[in-house]
Amino acid sequence: MHPKFKELEGKVVVVTGGGGILCSTMAETLAAQGAKVAILDLNLEKAQEVAQQIINSGGEAIGIKTNVLEVESLKSAHKEVNSKLGPCDILVNGAGGNHPKGTTSKTHLFTEDLQAKEELTTFFDLDPEGIQFVFNLNFIGTLLPTQVFSRDMVGREGCSVINISSMNAFSPLTKIPAYSGAKAAVSNFTQWLAVHFSKVGIRVNALAPGFFLTDQNRSLLTTTENKLTDRGNTIIDHTPMGRFGEPADLSGTLLWLCSKGSSFVTGVVVPIDGGFSAFSGV
Ligand code: NAD
């Protein structure tokens, strides 16, 4: 372990969704700088696995089963973090994702789709419960942990909240109106909270990852023979750097936003997307 961001040493970091693909790497990245990391995840096994990996590499971490949608679960996690690690300095709101019930089958609606014989989910069939699930997980699941953990940060130095937005917050992606709308809400909330917290020393920023191959989107982007689907090809064609992101591509921006180098930066949503959001497609 060769920490380069000395100010992160001993900081207490809470990562929600820390058992997942992107956020486990974020948790490991911060732990490698000497931060004490609490991995909060609905999936206790995954949270503990990530914590153990950090401990095995010489870091300090705990895994806690937490539901970011339940205040009581968050309060109990908060108590455990406070007693085992101390007050929270940095919160990474990573839990999030899409749901098939908030997703249309096709990118565009055609008149004949309304009489189609095949099973199609058009805009008219979207299930309000699926849409609600996605809004809750991404938006409420960011707001509630922030209410519970950022209280510890008020009036202390070097504290910040990192939200996870997405490319679809800038321009909605086809097929996923609920996920796009929910991440737009996360970006908007990042700006709102940055202003609200500006007098108490808490900075609030967000990462907006482009396309990273993970369990949630693998079947949408790749075939069983490990080739790209049409959607996967479209994404690569629209990503000037010509590849998907790797979890470690988020690390530099994460460390910058959590450390002194960004001390006058608050309310920004940083695209980490290989140029996707800069490219008009022409
Ligand atoms: P992932 O599915 O690997 O990780 C999500 C984690 O959140 C899982 O471990 C899951 O158990 C946990 N979780 C789900 N519901 C929860 C709840 N109610 N309470 C607590 N934990 C819960 O996903 P990922 O791809 O690593 O995504 C991490 C974040 O990055 C998400 O917010 C996602 O929307 C966002 N994101 C991902 C991509 C991508 O390309 N993968 C792109 C942009 C943004």
Side-chain angles (χ1 to χ4, degrees):
M1 196 162 59
H2 301 289
K4 291 193 182 120
F5 295 81
K6 286 270 178 220
E7 67 268 37
L8 294 180
E9 217 171 313
K11 283 261 160 78
V12 175
V13 176
V14 171
V15 183
T16 75
I21 296 196
L22 300 184
C23 293
S24 57
T25 301
M26 292 194 223
E28 286 161 9
T29 300
L30 291 163
Q33 298 301 321
K36 300 186 272 182
V37 184
I39 291 123
L40 275 49
D41 204 291
L42 204 50
N43 186 328
L44 177 63
E45 215 173 290
K46 284 212 264 174
Q48 285 177 331
E49 216 173 277
V50 177
Q52 194 55 51
Q53 226 156 307
I54 289 173
I55 293 166
N56 294 347
S57 315
E60 191 172 346
I62 52 173
I64 308 175
K65 181 179 169 75
T66 315
N67 186 344
V68 292
L69 300 177
E70 286 177 9
V71 174
E72 284 317 309
S73 168
L74 285 161
K75 282 187 176 165
S76 143
H78 181 229
K79 221 169 154 187
E80 191 172 339
V81 170
N82 279 181
S83 72
K84 292 188 174 158
L85 305 180
C88 175
D89 296 290
I90 294 167
L91 169 67
V92 179
N93 279 310
N98 192 22
H99 193 280
K101 286 189 171 169
T103 303
T104 60
S105 313
K106 293 171 72 175
T107 54
H108 302 80
L109 179 74
F110 294 94
T111 312
E112 56 272 26
D113 292 340
L114 299 182
Q115 279 86 43
K117 297 217 169 56
E118 55 189 313
E119 193 63 19
L120 281 183
T121 303
T122 71
F123 167 70
F124 303 108
D125 307 309
L126 287 173
D127 180 344
E129 275 181 29
I131 293 169
Q132 190 78 60
F133 174 93
V134 177
F135 269 82
N136 281 347
L137 177 57
N138 292 280
F139 182 61
I140 304 294
T142 294
L143 187 136
L144 295 182
T146 308
Q147 281 182 315
V148 172
F149 285 97
S150 62
R151 240 175 203 270
D152 288 358
M153 305 177 190
V154 175
R156 290 172 52 237
E157 294 262 311
C159 294
S160 66
V161 177
I162 308 290
N163 294 329
I164 311 299
S165 184
S166 170
M167 262 322 89
N168 59 34
F170 301 109
S171 309
L173 297 178
T174 56
K175 293 181 160 187
I176 51 173
Y179 187 49
S180 300
K183 287 299 193 187
V186 169
S187 288
N188 188 282
F189 176 60
T190 301
Q191 293 177 304
W192 183 86
L193 197 64
V195 174
H196 192 67
F197 277 174
S198 57
K199 313 293 185 202
V200 292
I202 308 171
R203 296 185 299 111
V204 186
N205 293 293
L207 310 182
F211 296 87
F212 290 65
L213 262 189
T214 59
D215 295 343
Q216 280 184 41
N217 60 21
R218 198 173 306 277
S219 63
L220 267 176
L221 306 183
T222 55
T223 65
T224 42
E225 292 92 48
N226 234 1
K227 297 225 168 76
L228 290 177
T229 59
D230 287 347
R231 193 173 177 85
N233 272 317
T234 307
I235 288 167
I236 295 298
D237 286 347
H238 285 74
T239 301
M241 290 181 77
R243 65 169 175 90
F244 292 116
E246 299 289 336
D249 287 325
L250 302 175
S251 303
T253 310
L254 173 71
L255 288 170
W256 170 62
L257 287 176
C258 289
S259 62
K260 279 187 190 153
S262 63
S263 56
F264 200 45
V265 177
T266 194
V268 304
V269 180
V270 184
I272 304 166
D273 65 348
F276 182 90
S277 58
F279 182 43
S280 70
V282 177

